[in-house]
Amino acid sequence: MNQPHEQEILRRLKSVEGHVRGVQRMVDEGAYCIDVVHQIVAIQRALKRVSAMVLDEHLRSCVTDAMRGPDGGEREKVLDELLQVFEATGKV
Amino acid sequence: MNQPHEQEILRRLKSVEGHVRGVQRMVDEGAYCIDVVHQIVAIQRALKRVSAMVLDEHLRSCVTDAMRGPDGGEREKVLDELLQVFEATGKV
Amino acid sequence: MNQPHEQEILRRLKSVEGHVRGVQRMVDEGAYCIDVVHQIVAIQRALKRVSAMVLDEHLRSCVTDAMRGPDGGEREKVLDELLQVFEATGKV
Amino acid sequence: MNQPHEQEILRRLKSVEGHVRGVQRMVDEGAYCIDVVHQIVAIQRALKRVSAMVLDEHLRSCVTDAMRGPDGGEREKVLDELLQVFEATGKV
């Protein structure tokens, strides 16, 4: 990954980590269940944002290189991986 | 929440926190983007499991009490909250 | 279901049916794939809206009756069903 | 789209259309709400499958052509579209 992109992704993952710890505290202190669920949904949304950023990076580096390269097997591979990611996504 | 249920939810949130740290390490060490995305999907799935557990607890305590209680406004409130959770879910 | 609610749900399902036929036409006429995918996402969203309406109806009739009734087994049943719906949702 | 792929996609969209009509009948005949919701989830899942097939086709034709072609703006465009599809997906 390029440096600034990677730093931003790490920053967001650190923020997600803090958010997860915050939800642990909520549970520990007996917060209202519905509030806990909404915080968990917010974390899932933040993670979706991170995976979109990682995918963006991937498309602009590995996928672009493979697609423009001479190796048909490699092209096949990156396309199959993209489809698998698309199918895994949303099944959460 | 009842004690064993709450402990299990906290245990799972701790595991999610460790998983998020693991993904940070992957990004830091330059792991393959597609592997990172699949780990993030796995975390989202684990979080969905946790929110189902919290909701289970909620249905069997607060919702049951409110629905069996005399307060029509309170019943209305818990049902509206359930619908909002249902609608927020999946929009991730 | 109460009458006006049911009519609105049927009206929306008819609209979804028309939308699905529209997408068939798009595919048949060789529309751009990305446009087809976005129309399918729009249909999924409309269906989610319908299932929220059905669930709303369900909460205010069957669930309310069961929860306020004397039959513990019946209460257990409606809560389990709600959890299953919550878990099935989003895994799409 | 290539012919057999397109026929299979149309066949599945026809089946989705029939499924939507089946749910209308269920609502009309007063089926149990939870059963209606599960049928709607099944339709959403079938639509997700169709959009994966359309995307597969798209990756192997338009995206491959654009990525291997000389036009940087066109490459940028197909990658942006893929990201938008990824982000729209799951927000249902």
Side-chain angles (χ1 to χ4, degrees):
Chain A
M1 290 191 201
N2 71 56
Q3 218 43 29
H5 213 149
E6 183 182 315
Q7 290 311 311
E8 175 62 13
I9 287 168
L10 280 173
R11 199 191 59 70
R12 284 173 185 253
L13 285 170
K14 279 239 162 289
S15 150
V16 165
E17 187 193 333
H19 206 157
V20 173
R21 263 198 305 270
V23 174
Q24 290 169 29
R25 229 164 8 241
M26 286 176 77
V27 171
D28 207 34
E29 293 167 357
Y32 188 49
C33 294
I34 291 291
D35 295 337
V36 173
V37 172
H38 282 297
Q39 287 310 310
I40 292 176
V41 169
I43 294 174
Q44 290 177 296
R45 201 167 290 151
L47 285 168
K48 170 90 189 205
R49 198 76 264 289
V50 175
S51 63
M53 292 178 70
V54 175
L55 205 63
D56 189 359
E57 182 67 32
H58 181 60
L59 287 169
R60 288 172 212 292
S61 54
C62 304
V63 174
T64 298
D65 291 349
M67 294 306 288
R68 292 184 68 69
D71 183 344
E74 189 61 21
R75 291 203 293 277
E76 197 67 26
K77 177 176 158 277
V78 295
L79 296 183
D80 283 347
E81 287 172 346
L82 284 180
L83 270 174
Q84 280 160 27
V85 159
F86 175 77
E87 300 201 53
T89 277
K91 285 190 196 171
V92 167
Chain B
M1 290 190 200
N2 72 55
Q3 218 44 29
H5 213 149
E6 183 183 315
Q7 289 311 310
E8 176 62 13
I9 287 167
L10 281 173
R11 198 190 60 69
R12 283 172 185 254
L13 286 170
K14 280 238 162 291
S15 150
V16 165
E17 188 193 335
H19 206 157
V20 173
R21 263 199 304 271
V23 174
Q24 290 169 30
R25 226 161 15 237
M26 287 175 76
V27 172
D28 207 35
E29 293 167 359
Y32 188 48
C33 294
I34 292 290
D35 295 338
V36 173
V37 173
H38 281 297
Q39 287 309 311
I40 292 177
V41 169
I43 295 174
Q44 290 177 295
R45 201 167 290 150
L47 284 168
K48 169 91 188 203
R49 198 77 265 290
V50 175
S51 63
M53 292 178 70
V54 175
L55 204 63
D56 189 359
E57 182 67 32
H58 181 60
L59 287 170
R60 286 171 214 292
S61 53
C62 304
V63 174
T64 298
D65 292 348
M67 294 306 289
R68 293 184 67 71
D71 184 344
E74 189 62 21
R75 289 203 294 276
E76 197 67 26
K77 178 176 159 278
V78 296
L79 295 183
D80 284 346
E81 287 172 345
L82 284 179
L83 270 174
Q84 280 161 26
V85 159
F86 176 77
E87 299 202 51
T89 276
K91 284 189 197 172
V92 168
Chain C
M1 290 191 202
N2 72 55
Q3 218 44 29
H5 213 149
E6 182 181 317
Q7 289 310 311
E8 176 61 14
I9 287 168
L10 281 172
R11 199 190 59 69
R12 284 171 184 254
L13 286 169
K14 280 238 162 292
S15 150
V16 165
E17 187 192 336
H19 206 157
V20 173
R21 263 198 305 271
V23 174
Q24 290 170 30
R25 223 156 22 232
M26 287 175 76
V27 171
D28 207 34
E29 293 167 357
Y32 188 49
C33 294
I34 291 290
D35 295 338
V36 173
V37 172
H38 281 297
Q39 288 309 310
I40 292 176
V41 169
I43 295 173
Q44 290 176 296
R45 202 167 290 151
L47 285 168
K48 170 91 189 204
R49 197 79 265 289
V50 175
S51 62
M53 292 178 70
V54 175
L55 205 63
D56 188 359
E57 182 68 31
H58 181 59
L59 287 169
R60 288 172 212 292
S61 54
C62 303
V63 174
T64 297
D65 291 350
M67 294 306 288
R68 293 184 68 71
D71 184 344
E74 189 61 21
R75 290 202 294 276
E76 197 66 26
K77 177 175 158 278
V78 295
L79 295 184
D80 283 346
E81 286 172 346
L82 284 179
L83 269 174
Q84 280 161 27
V85 159
F86 175 78
E87 300 201 52
T89 277
K91 285 190 197 172
V92 167
Chain D
M1 289 191 202
N2 72 55
Q3 218 44 29
H5 213 150
E6 183 182 315
Q7 289 311 310
E8 175 63 12
I9 287 168
L10 280 171
R11 200 190 59 70
R12 283 172 186 252
L13 285 169
K14 279 237 162 294
S15 150
V16 165
E17 188 193 334
H19 206 157
V20 173
R21 262 200 305 271
V23 174
Q24 290 170 30
R25 226 160 17 237
M26 285 176 77
V27 171
D28 207 34
E29 293 168 358
Y32 188 48
C33 294
I34 291 291
D35 295 338
V36 173
V37 173
H38 281 297
Q39 287 309 311
I40 292 176
V41 169
I43 295 173
Q44 290 176 298
R45 201 167 290 150
L47 285 169
K48 170 90 189 205
R49 198 76 264 289
V50 174
S51 63
M53 292 178 70
V54 175
L55 205 63
D56 188 1
E57 182 67 32
H58 181 60
L59 287 170
R60 287 171 211 294
S61 55
C62 304
V63 174
T64 297
D65 292 349
M67 294 306 289
R68 292 183 68 70
D71 184 343
E74 189 62 21
R75 290 202 294 276
E76 197 67 26
K77 176 175 158 279
V78 296
L79 295 184
D80 284 346
E81 287 173 346
L82 284 180
L83 269 174
Q84 280 161 27
V85 159
F86 176 77
E87 300 201 52
T89 277
K91 285 192 198 172
V92 167

